[in-house]
Amino acid sequence: MKVLPGVFLRRDPDGAGVPVVFDIPRSGTWYPCEFTPAAPFLDLHQSVSMHVPDLYADVVDSGASWLAATFPNTYIDANRHERDIDPTLLDGPWPGALETTEKSRLGIGLIHSRCGKRGVAIYDKPLSVQDVQRRLDRYYWPYHNELAGMLAERRKKFGGAYHVSCHSMASIGGPSTLDRGKPRSDFDIGDRHGSTCDPALSELIADTLGGFGYRVTRNFHYPGAESVRKHARPAEGIHSVQIEIKRGLYMNEDTFEPGSGFAEVRKHLGQLAQAIARFATERTRA
């Protein structure tokens, strides 16, 4: 295992492995000491994609590599563009152009302003520009640079790379989401409407999960955010897809404890990893 303290954990298989990388950018629970939010911890913690690293713990057995961010997404969100910042959060002008999106306006941009089921305000005073720049330099970029390097290594070695970005979603859309108040499918597969990977990869994932009896949608709740947008290069052989799991399948969303379905979901994700590994190996041999 490779560790960059406070930033990421990385696990690689023994031997040659396969051209597949699973990345988990929004499940970190190592809260930096300098993070001093005004919001209660319970609300902060509700925004974490909880237990996702454990759900995907068996993917290394398929020959894939596994990378997980350890910092919380409420501190800085690795699944957002580096310029998706709400300028009203800052104590001064940002040194460069911003690309503020609706997600920032909802409070879930690069720097979250709201959290939890209640949409509680995280801060009670502006953040310094220097603080946000430090979060980018110490957490965001080291994580993305590691992921980019892993994919480049596999492309060089195998002639291609397949990247699966792993997330979880609340069973009902929360107050800071685009689908607030609406029930969600069991799994949502996002490839930014076919732009980030070979469509056959998305079809394989949807068909495999559907075969286990899950209700699967594609590009419906979450079509894919920054992890797949930033790293996908399908024309150059790097294919990225996002998987969202409904939390109610495997955990109690009020107590945060794993539920009775946890072991089965983990088993199915291990089997999915095997299917993706076979697919990736066949495609890179072609």
Side-chain angles (χ1 to χ4, degrees):
M1 180 180 288
K2 178 180 179 180
V3 179
L4 182 57
V7 180
F8 64 73
L9 300 174
R10 171 179 171 174
R11 297 173 59 213
D12 293 297
D14 295 329
V18 296
V20 181
V21 176
F22 287 80
D23 109 272
I24 306 166
R26 305 186 76 239
S27 298
T29 57
W30 293 4
Y31 290 81
C33 293
E34 64 269 22
F35 186 28
T36 55
F41 178 76
L42 179 65
D43 293 282
L44 280 174
H45 206 54
Q46 284 174 342
S47 296
V48 173
S49 286
M50 279 175 276
H51 304 299
V52 175
D54 292 330
L55 286 173
Y56 284 92
D58 299 329
V59 304
V60 177
D61 295 338
S62 73
S65 289
W66 174 103
L67 179 72
T70 53
F71 53 89
N73 57 15
T74 47
Y75 184 63
I76 186 165
D77 194 335
N79 203 35
R80 298 289 182 262
H81 192 280
E82 61 270 19
R83 292 192 294 274
D84 189 359
I85 299 171
D86 179 356
T88 65
L89 284 176
L90 305 177
D91 67 355
W94 187 255
L98 292 177
E99 297 182 21
T100 305
T101 70
E102 180 66 13
K103 288 182 177 178
S104 272
R105 287 184 280 271
L106 288 168
I108 52 171
L110 177 75
I111 305 297
H112 291 200
S113 61
R114 297 195 172 274
C115 63
K117 295 178 181 179
R118 301 186 298 157
V120 173
I122 296 177
Y123 302 103
D124 57 5
K125 59 184 177 182
L127 299 175
S128 72
V129 169
Q130 291 76 17
D131 178 12
V132 176
Q133 289 175 318
R134 185 170 56 252
R135 298 184 195 194
L136 281 162
D137 292 342
R138 292 187 181 178
Y139 298 91
Y140 182 95
W141 285 118
Y143 181 80
H144 278 292
N145 290 342
E146 186 73 15
L147 178 55
M150 294 170 74
L151 293 170
E153 289 166 7
R154 278 141 192 81
R155 181 177 179 273
K156 181 178 180 180
K157 180 176 181 179
F158 297 100
Y162 291 82
H163 164 219
V164 183
S165 193
C166 309
H167 305 259
S168 73
M169 57 185 176
S171 297
I172 303 294
S176 298
T177 62
L178 297 173
D179 62 344
R180 62 183 68 87
K182 296 180 180 179
R184 290 167 166 172
S185 56
D186 295 330
F187 285 85
D188 194 40
I189 314 305
D191 58 13
R192 296 182 70 86
H193 304 285
S195 67
T196 62
C197 71
D198 179 347
L201 175 61
S202 297
E203 291 168 10
L204 170 77
I205 294 170
D207 290 347
T208 301
L209 292 171
F212 296 139
Y214 297 112
R215 179 171 172 260
V216 183
T217 52
R218 291 175 62 180
N219 297 300
F220 187 71
H221 301 295
Y222 296 97
E226 188 63 15
S227 280
V228 296
R229 190 210 67 81
K230 189 183 291 295
H231 296 285
R233 301 286 187 276
E236 301 170 22
I238 299 179
H239 301 268
S240 296
V241 64
Q242 177 174 296
I243 300 178
E244 292 273 0
I245 311 172
K246 184 172 71 176
R247 291 177 193 152
L249 288 177
Y250 67 86
M251 64 174 281
N252 182 313
E253 293 176 82
D254 294 321
T255 67
F256 308 148
E257 295 175 324
S260 59
F262 184 91
E264 184 174 43
V265 174
R266 176 171 170 168
K267 179 185 73 173
H268 287 156
L269 291 174
Q271 293 171 344
L272 174 64
Q274 296 285 351
I276 294 172
R278 290 192 295 269
F279 174 92
T281 300
E282 291 168 1
R283 291 299 174 112
T284 52
R285 282 176 181 165

